[in-house]
Amino acid sequence: MNYKGNLSEFCLGTVQFGMNYGLKNVRNTEIDEIEIEKIFNFFHENGGIYIDTAQNYGNSEQKISNFLNNSSKVITKIEINQRDQILEMINKSLRNLNI
């Protein structure tokens, strides 16, 4: 498949990389690492930059960490119950993402 364009204005969602999710998830499974690599290769080769993830997306942060490159801009969400948890949770995501 050849895409003629630039994906920099798009954001790659990664929830289904870390958990069973989505209306079209007819197999009721996570996407395996081989498929994730194919998706990221296509995404990067076509100018994709922005990646959306979250700590609550199962192990998505850990899985995608292998496929980020120098141009990747990661948007992640954290859940905190107390104000003093903010830095702890940010650092957790940074560790998960190997950033």
Side-chain angles (χ1 to χ4, degrees):
M1 172 195 267
N2 289 332
Y3 176 78
K4 304 291 185 204
N6 187 315
L7 295 177
S8 67
E9 295 180 13
F10 292 88
C11 185
L12 176 61
T14 65
V15 66
Q16 200 164 349
F17 296 169
M19 59 193 303
N20 301 344
Y21 179 85
L23 294 174
K24 294 287 188 180
N25 190 0
V26 294
R27 294 181 295 167
N28 197 32
T29 60
E30 298 172 23
I31 297 174
D32 66 39
E33 300 236 358
I34 294 168
E35 289 301 311
I36 294 171
E37 183 176 20
K38 289 178 187 177
I39 291 166
F40 267 88
N41 286 341
F42 177 86
F43 186 69
H44 291 309
E45 288 169 6
N46 290 285
I49 297 172
Y50 300 102
I51 298 136
D52 170 72
T53 192
Q55 289 177 4
N56 289 347
Y57 290 0
N59 60 350
S60 176
E61 287 182 331
Q62 292 91 341
K63 283 187 174 180
I64 69 169
S65 69
N66 297 321
F67 307 107
L68 303 176
N69 66 23
N70 291 336
S71 65
S72 296
K73 305 289 183 199
V74 179
I75 302 159
T76 192
K77 280 92 55 200
I78 60 175
E79 182 178 338
I80 57 170
N81 297 314
Q82 298 174 352
R83 187 178 203 147
D84 62 349
Q85 290 180 310
I86 294 172
L87 288 177
E88 175 187 341
M89 299 311 279
I90 290 171
N91 285 324
K92 179 181 177 183
S93 281
L94 292 173
R95 283 189 307 274
N96 288 343
L97 294 161
N98 291 321
I99 297 176

